[in-house]
Amino acid sequence: MIRRLLAALAFIAAPVAAQDTPPPASVVVAFDRETVTPLIVEGLANKDTGRAVEANDPVRIASISKLVMALTALRLMDEGKVDLDRDVSDYLGWQVRSPYHPDAPVTLKHLLSHRAGLSDRAGYIIPLGESLQAKFADPAAWRDTAPPGEAAFEYANLGSPIVATALEAASGERYDRLVERLVFAPLGVKACLNWIGCGPEMEAHAVTLYRNTGEVARDAPEDLPPACTIPVTEGAECRLENYVPGSNASIFSPQGGVRIGMVDLAKIGQALFDTYGTEHFLSAKTQTMFLQAMISSANEVPPFGADAGFCGYALATYVLVDAPPCQDDLFMDKVERFGHGGEAYGLRSGLWIALGEGLSFAYFTTAVPPPSGEVETAASDPRETALIQRALDLAKHRSD
């Protein structure tokens, strides 16, 4: 159970050592209930312009976007518009079924916890102009496994487009606007999906993502608006004016397309500190359900553990622990944290909230080598691990 952090620590940004070649763009901020403080801010947001990265420069946070999606679903549940245990077919108006279990309903909870039996083999990006329903009718989108809810955990990005589209259908709102209304605006953060609605000021501070080999991977200046920033099928116009909510929210990249700065990402983390018995960002009932689901998943027997790459996973959230069969302790300080990590386009990122005493962190680093092909965990990349240890050392030094 999450308890109050004991005290706020005053930190200052770590100076970047003078060197001929700037380090990859990296930002780490520490936060507790009251404070958000940069610890590491270094590297270039864009190599061509030479612009140095700043603490709250927006960056594509990859799969942490799934946690934002889950929070949107929970907030919509508090409004009485969705039920996580209801068949998503009821919202969409067409049947979502595994070909291996045609009578078993698929729910938002199954999808948010990667227990619906989906597979990314068929791809998970459905451009504007293509059919989401057709994608889920493809047998390659499913695994021959147990029924949804009983299916073994397997991480699948494909679940996110169907969740986001169901949320649109239930609310009548476009997904990007729904996230803005329910998550970003209430918490006072500036963020967007696929640069839709971010505006020129945020675009001017965008962090360009580079691969470890040096080439641009994402979000170079020429890729930002007025360029098209959503996936569009060949021959279709890159226009959202006629988009119908509830048809194909894949275009907003709910699995990984949130752009946000680390200071603002930390504010989302602050909203998830223990609020039992109070009405806060989430209702007390919903907050309790959310945290209990996450903690219970961390205590499950396999499929979680080293072979799954996660130490429990529920409602787009998981726990970092170092206790067999789970050994995923990125921070190596024996503090259990929950949240979500991200890996894509040469970026590694994380939002990790302390369970009890300890500091919480939001961070990203760029130009990271691609995954090895083996199971990836939060602690599997040496660059990411070294960055976090630097941040912990800085925090300890400032608190002494």
Side-chain angles (χ1 to χ4, degrees):
M1 183 182 298
I2 304 177
R3 302 189 301 273
R4 282 192 182 274
L5 300 176
L6 292 180
L9 299 178
F11 301 122
I12 60 172
V16 180
Q19 48 192 354
D20 294 331
T21 303
S26 303
V27 174
V28 183
V29 304
F31 64 95
D32 56 22
R33 288 177 182 272
E34 291 80 28
T35 63
V36 177
T37 311
L39 290 174
I40 297 172
V41 181
E42 64 186 24
L44 299 180
N46 182 272
K47 294 178 182 179
D48 291 337
T49 64
R51 182 173 63 83
V53 71
E54 298 178 17
N56 204 35
D57 280 354
V59 66
R60 188 184 193 276
I61 56 171
S63 287
I64 305 174
S65 305
K66 295 180 176 71
L67 175 54
V68 174
M69 180 176 65
L71 296 178
T72 305
L74 293 174
R75 292 270 288 166
L76 205 57
M77 185 176 73
D78 277 340
E79 290 188 346
K81 294 179 180 177
V82 297
D83 181 341
L84 299 190
D85 294 311
R86 185 176 177 180
D87 188 341
V88 293
S89 305
D90 295 343
Y91 301 115
L92 295 166
W94 48 271
Q95 197 169 65
V96 180
R97 289 292 187 270
S98 165
Y100 306 104
H101 302 281
D103 297 324
V106 177
T107 70
L108 289 171
K109 186 177 291 183
H110 299 157
L111 294 162
L112 288 167
S113 301
H114 300 285
R115 304 296 284 268
L118 289 171
S119 169
D120 282 343
R121 287 176 302 166
Y124 55 86
I125 298 173
I126 303 95
L128 183 67
E130 292 190 5
S131 168
L132 184 71
Q133 184 175 356
K135 172 64 71 173
F136 280 82
D138 183 352
W142 301 89
R143 293 179 288 127
D144 186 0
T145 183
E150 300 174 28
F153 170 88
E154 184 171 311
Y155 195 86
N157 288 289
L158 183 57
S160 296
I162 204 76
V163 170
T165 304
L167 298 184
E168 287 188 333
S171 66
E173 299 173 71
R174 217 170 71 183
Y175 181 67
D176 61 319
R177 293 170 177 168
L178 189 64
V179 178
E180 171 66 24
R181 179 175 72 83
L182 294 177
V183 180
F184 299 153
L187 298 178
V189 306
K190 292 291 294 181
C192 64
L193 290 108
N194 284 351
W195 297 109
I196 301 166
C198 264
E201 184 177 351
M202 284 190 69
E203 293 162 16
H205 287 84
V207 176
T208 300
L209 298 183
Y210 297 91
R211 303 194 186 278
N212 67 306
T213 50
E215 70 266 27
V216 172
R218 200 78 172 185
D219 290 347
E222 60 270 22
D223 298 326
L224 304 182
C228 185
T229 58
I230 62 173
V232 177
T233 193
E234 186 175 354
E237 284 190 281
C238 185
R239 296 170 60 88
L240 290 174
E241 287 84 351
N242 297 322
Y243 174 76
V244 178
S247 58
N248 178 21
S250 176
I251 61 176
F252 302 106
S253 301
Q255 75 282 350
V258 170
R259 269 66 169 190
I260 190 171
M262 294 303 97
V263 173
D264 278 339
L265 183 59
K267 292 178 183 177
I268 294 177
Q270 286 178 316
L272 298 181
F273 281 125
D274 186 5
T275 56
Y276 288 120
T278 64
E279 298 298 316
H280 182 47
F281 177 64
L282 299 175
S283 70
K285 180 180 178 181
T286 298
Q287 176 87 344
T288 299
M289 179 275 293
F290 174 55
L291 295 174
Q292 287 179 344
M294 178 268 301
I295 293 170
S296 295
S297 74
N299 295 323
E300 283 192 39
V301 295
F304 295 116
D307 291 339
F310 295 92
C311 293
Y313 194 109
L315 302 180
T317 314
Y318 56 103
V319 184
L320 297 183
V321 295
D322 185 11
C326 295
Q327 296 179 347
D328 195 7
D329 189 9
L330 170 65
F331 293 85
M332 295 184 285
D333 61 356
K334 305 302 180 184
V335 174
E336 291 190 0
R337 295 176 173 88
F338 77 96
H340 211 293
E343 183 279 315
Y345 301 105
L347 169 136
R348 298 281 294 215
S349 59
L351 174 62
W352 298 111
I353 303 154
L355 278 161
E357 299 175 10
L359 283 172
S360 302
F361 292 87
Y363 68 89
F364 76 85
T365 188
T366 58
V368 176
S372 62
E374 301 174 355
V375 171
E376 287 287 305
T377 66
S380 63
D381 179 70
R383 271 270 314 283
E384 186 177 11
T385 302
L387 182 74
I388 292 303
Q389 290 309 304
R390 283 176 56 202
L392 287 169
D393 288 345
L394 284 165
K396 183 178 185 299
H397 175 73
R398 298 301 174 186
S399 64
D400 288 342

